[in-house]
Amino acid sequence: MIERTPVLVFAALLSLVLEWFPGVSAWWQRLTPARKTTLNAFGVALISILAMLLGCWRGQTCPADVWGAIGEFLLTALLALGVNQATYQAVKRQNFA
């Protein structure tokens, strides 16, 4: 089973970094909306995959059932994407202008 709390925290941090971190935010603002969506989804998926791999590496139970592992990954990725987007909607620059 994937530990979801760190995944959700890192997904929220991803949106904060992309929107507010100097240098990164300037680069982020120049991207097209389609590119932003793609990169953000890739980032959340990468965070979810790394959490699953880290759990196996640290000795936690690795999923023996491939379909169960895929289901765990998808659930975790969807939750992380929801947290990522909720954080973005709450802290985007347009809200503070």
Side-chain angles (χ1 to χ4, degrees), residues 14 18 27-28 30-47 81 84-85:
L14 176 64
L18 292 175
W27 166 77
W28 186 250
R30 289 191 303 267
L31 297 176
T32 64
R35 179 65 59 136
K36 287 180 184 180
T37 301
T38 302
L39 290 175
N40 193 44
F42 178 74
V44 170
L46 186 62
I47 289 168
L81 191 57
N84 175 272
Q85 288 302 294

Side-chain angles (χ1 to χ4, degrees), residues 7-82:
V7 175
L8 301 180
V9 169
F10 280 112
L13 287 174
L14 176 64
S15 64
L16 289 171
V17 166
L18 292 175
E19 188 69 16
W20 289 99
F21 196 78
V24 176
S25 64
W27 166 77
W28 186 250
Q29 297 305 320
R30 289 191 303 267
L31 297 176
T32 64
R35 179 65 59 136
K36 287 180 184 180
T37 301
T38 302
L39 290 175
N40 193 44
F42 178 74
V44 170
L46 186 62
I47 289 168
S48 300
I49 289 169
L50 288 175
M52 182 178 269
L53 294 175
L54 183 63
C56 287
W57 179 71
R58 289 179 49 207
Q60 296 172 349
T61 305
C62 293
D65 174 27
V66 174
W67 293 110
I70 291 171
E72 281 287 319
F73 166 74
L74 290 176
L75 178 61
T76 302
L78 285 173
L79 288 171
L81 191 57

